Amino acid sequence: MNTEVAHAFVDHLAKLLELVGVVIIICGVVLAAVLFIRSGFRGGDWQAAYQACRSNLGRGILLGLELLVGADIISTITAPLTFQSVALLGGIVMIRTFLSFSLETEIEGCWPWQRSGRDRGDRDRRSPPADTT
């Protein structure tokens, strides 16, 4: 297989992944809005609907951002590696990773290192008490 053909294939794959990431973000926005309106009208609790909308919107953006970061990393395979291109990629990945971290923290409502204790507490509250007889 010719190197140029391989580079063209990988470049097209990265573009496709970028497109899928953008489509997921757009679909996430639309779906979050539809669920917000439906939940608000059905239950009348617009405050809870708003919180759910923010979480759903964040999840859609988070998934789309993950795909966009993957596409950026894949596209470096085809780009000529210069200090400027590597620095630009590093900056883009850092910004998108920070956005992903911020969105995930906003959705979960706690820092990532606090999740295991919180999840353990949720699991303990859900599980029925042990029968001691």
Side-chain angles (χ1 to χ4, degrees), residues 30-53:
V30 171
L31 184 63
V34 168
L35 291 174
F36 169 71
I37 292 169
R38 189 179 78 178
S39 178
F41 280 122
R42 275 191 181 167
D45 187 5
W46 290 95
Q47 200 78 328
Y50 171 74
Q51 292 300 325
C53 179

Side-chain angles (χ1 to χ4, degrees), residues 55-122:
S55 294
N56 291 333
L57 184 58
R59 285 183 188 98
I61 293 171
L62 188 59
L63 181 59
L65 278 174
E66 295 294 332
L67 290 174
L68 290 172
V69 168
D72 285 339
I73 292 169
I74 291 172
S75 67
T76 60
I77 295 170
T78 59
L81 292 179
T82 63
F83 181 74
Q84 185 177 6
S85 69
V86 171
L88 181 63
L89 173 69
I92 290 170
V93 169
M94 284 178 54
I95 290 169
R96 289 186 178 167
T97 302
F98 174 76
L99 286 173
S100 296
F101 178 80
S102 300
L103 280 169
E104 193 168 340
T105 302
E106 180 72 24
I107 291 168
E108 295 292 327
C110 65
W111 297 105
W113 52 86
Q114 295 172 328
R115 270 188 217 122
S116 63
R118 190 191 72 177
D119 292 344
R120 198 176 322 115
D122 289 346

